[in-house]
Amino acid sequence: MRAKVEVFLKPGVLDVQGKAIEGALHGLGFAEVDHVRVGKTISFDLGDGADRGAAEARVKAMCDGLLANAVIESYRVEIA
Amino acid sequence: MRAKVEVFLKPGVLDVQGKAIEGALHGLGFAEVDHVRVGKTISFDLGDGADRGAAEARVKAMCDGLLANAVIESYRVEIA
């Protein structure tokens, strides 16, 4: 099984990286770009032992413990 | 229209951030985790003027020009 975790800043938290990218894209002539948000994607293999539900619970524990900062970030887990 | 761009290091390029996360997860007791890869996700609004194909071509031009380093990174574009 492979897990994919997407970590994004919560709406309302200033995304400075996104603002920088937006400014750079405007400077390159892509004036239609707006509301840029930048996130992290972390993908990894899990053992084949556990079932899907258990794997998802483990990955959520990883997110809460290490991968995401719950104060300012939200995450989405996909197991494939 | 909203575009989502995923930028990942190409296979074979050492992912130091992924290695660090892998080590930390192992340290926290998640020993089943393997082959961690870390990428960026950039999502943004586009104007509603252009059609889907034209928008995708514009976003690919943004990736080649700014968002991804073609030497070591690959990207995937989604238009929704």
Side-chain angles (χ1 to χ4, degrees):
Chain A
M1 275 185 296
R2 193 150 179 96
K4 190 171 140 183
V5 176
E6 273 187 52
V7 182
F8 266 92
L9 286 171
K10 288 184 175 164
V13 178
L14 178 67
D15 186 341
V16 285
Q17 228 184 328
K19 285 281 169 214
I21 289 176
E22 194 171 311
L25 285 174
H26 287 176
L28 287 171
F30 299 105
E32 73 270 38
V33 172
D34 204 7
H35 299 118
V36 181
R37 305 291 287 177
V38 179
K40 279 176 293 188
T41 310
I42 303 140
S43 63
F44 47 87
D45 287 332
L46 296 164
D48 291 324
D51 68 279
R52 207 187 175 78
E56 198 168 328
R58 292 277 285 174
V59 174
K60 282 187 177 163
M62 294 175 206
C63 290
D64 293 328
L66 181 80
L67 302 177
N69 175 355
V71 179
I72 55 167
E73 293 172 327
S74 56
Y75 60 82
R76 203 167 58 82
V77 172
E78 249 174 63
I79 309 276
Chain B
M1 276 184 294
R2 192 147 179 98
K4 190 169 139 183
V5 176
E6 274 187 50
V7 182
F8 266 92
L9 285 170
K10 286 183 177 167
V13 178
L14 179 67
D15 187 341
V16 285
Q17 226 184 328
K19 285 282 168 214
I21 288 176
E22 193 171 313
L25 286 173
H26 288 175
L28 288 171
F30 300 106
E32 74 270 37
V33 173
D34 203 7
H35 300 120
V36 182
R37 305 291 286 177
V38 179
K40 279 176 295 187
T41 311
I42 303 140
S43 64
F44 48 86
D45 287 332
L46 296 164
D48 290 325
D51 69 281
R52 207 186 175 79
E56 199 169 327
R58 292 277 286 175
V59 174
K60 282 187 178 165
M62 293 175 206
C63 291
D64 293 327
L66 181 81
L67 303 176
N69 176 355
V71 179
I72 56 167
E73 293 172 327
S74 56
Y75 61 82
R76 202 167 59 81
V77 172
E78 250 175 62
I79 308 275

